[in-house]
Amino acid sequence: ITRESTLDELKGTVATDEPIRLSLSGVFHRHPFRASLETGDIDLLATGEEAWPLKSVVEIPDARLTLNAQVDERDWDFSDALRFFLENAHSPFSSLDHERLASLKLELESQRLDALEPVFNVSVPRWGPVHFNGSFEFFGGGGFSADVVTRVGSSELSGELDLELHGGAPRFALTLEAPTIQLDDFPLEDWSALEGRPAGPLVNEAAESVRGLLSPEVMRSVEGRVEVEVG
């Protein structure tokens, strides 16, 4: 594809009454990867008569990301859904009020958190090993809630995250608790979310994105609360 990214293998199957499956492998920004995707069968997607499952696994050196999602059962078929979203394109979920639309479970295992930099274009500290579990629920009207558990080294934090995107400024609340936190599990060294390390254009672009997110304009447009309780 490019000098730094190549697709070595791509396989897929679509059959009646069988899950849709897709697998691929190659190199992304000079890092090898393998990925797989499995969903419900094509008839299930078209009719919407049952919840539609989706499972994806992405593996890179020192990290594995597993995603299990479910789009909830709808009482319309695909053409009804398409017409609904076209008629409400300006705010497609607002008329669904607080009805749950989908659920998602995310698990991340990584020996080094910075192994994710080339895949997600983020600048992160060299923490590890890391194990993250999150169970998310997405609702009509915008927003989601999540139960999260994060282990970094010997420290474990668990709690809840709520995000509301309707009714004015976005609002979020994050509540975490931990019996103990080992500060040595969270070394910062020379890392900076704003400046990044001299690790090439990916980290530099991520630093620019963080600057934008932390700008006064964005901060004034969001209402948030973070609570961390340590025993």
Side-chain angles (χ1 to χ4, degrees):
I1 300 175
T2 68
R3 286 190 300 175
E4 294 185 340
S5 302
T6 60
L7 182 61
D8 298 327
E9 182 180 68
L10 174 63
K11 296 180 180 180
T13 59
V14 179
T16 303
D17 297 326
E18 291 289 337
I20 302 171
R21 295 185 176 93
L22 180 69
S23 63
L24 62 157
S25 62
V27 176
F28 185 75
H29 289 288
R30 300 181 182 177
H31 290 72
F33 77 93
R34 298 185 63 85
S36 64
L37 176 70
E38 181 176 312
T39 73
D41 66 75
I42 192 69
D43 292 334
L44 198 61
L45 173 63
T47 61
E49 294 177 353
E50 299 179 30
W52 198 61
L54 182 150
K55 179 178 181 180
S56 179
V57 178
V58 179
E59 295 177 284
I60 61 173
D62 295 316
R64 175 186 174 93
L65 179 69
T66 304
L67 183 151
N68 285 279
Q70 177 177 286
V71 179
D72 286 354
E73 177 183 349
R74 317 289 336 146
D75 56 1
W76 54 39
D77 60 23
F78 185 76
S79 60
D80 291 332
L82 179 60
R83 183 169 56 253
F84 173 85
F85 285 112
L86 289 176
E87 292 174 350
N88 298 273
H90 61 288
S91 183
F93 301 117
S94 59
S95 61
L96 294 178
D97 195 22
H98 296 286
E99 180 181 356
R100 196 183 86 156
L101 303 178
S103 61
L104 181 149
K105 291 185 178 180
L106 183 68
E107 181 178 9
L108 169 67
E109 297 177 272
S110 179
Q111 291 301 309
R112 295 172 23 253
L113 193 60
D114 59 328
L116 304 177
E117 286 185 345
V119 178
F120 296 100
N121 193 18
V122 294
S123 176
V124 294
R126 297 187 180 106
W127 296 345
V130 174
H131 191 170
F132 171 82
N133 274 290
S135 297
F136 300 81
E137 290 186 315
F138 298 86
F139 299 90
F144 66 83
S145 65
D147 294 321
V148 296
V149 178
T150 302
R151 288 201 304 272
V152 180
S154 61
S155 303
E156 180 173 316
L157 299 95
S158 61
E160 299 179 352
L161 170 64
D162 290 292
L163 174 66
E164 293 186 12
L165 300 176
H166 63 283
R171 297 185 299 275
F172 76 89
L174 174 62
T175 305
L176 297 173
E177 61 179 24
T180 61
I181 289 181
Q182 175 60 50
L183 296 182
D184 288 345
D185 290 333
F186 302 91
L188 293 178
E189 300 173 340
D190 60 343
W191 176 81
S192 168
L194 293 177
E195 300 303 330
R197 300 192 305 275
L202 279 178
V203 173
N204 293 334
E205 291 174 12
E208 289 299 325
S209 300
V210 172
R211 284 192 188 92
L213 289 174
L214 299 180
S215 67
E217 293 78 14
V218 173
M219 291 293 97
R220 282 194 293 265
S221 67
V222 178
E223 298 177 11
R225 184 181 77 254
V226 177
E227 298 179 3
V228 180
E229 181 179 336
V230 182

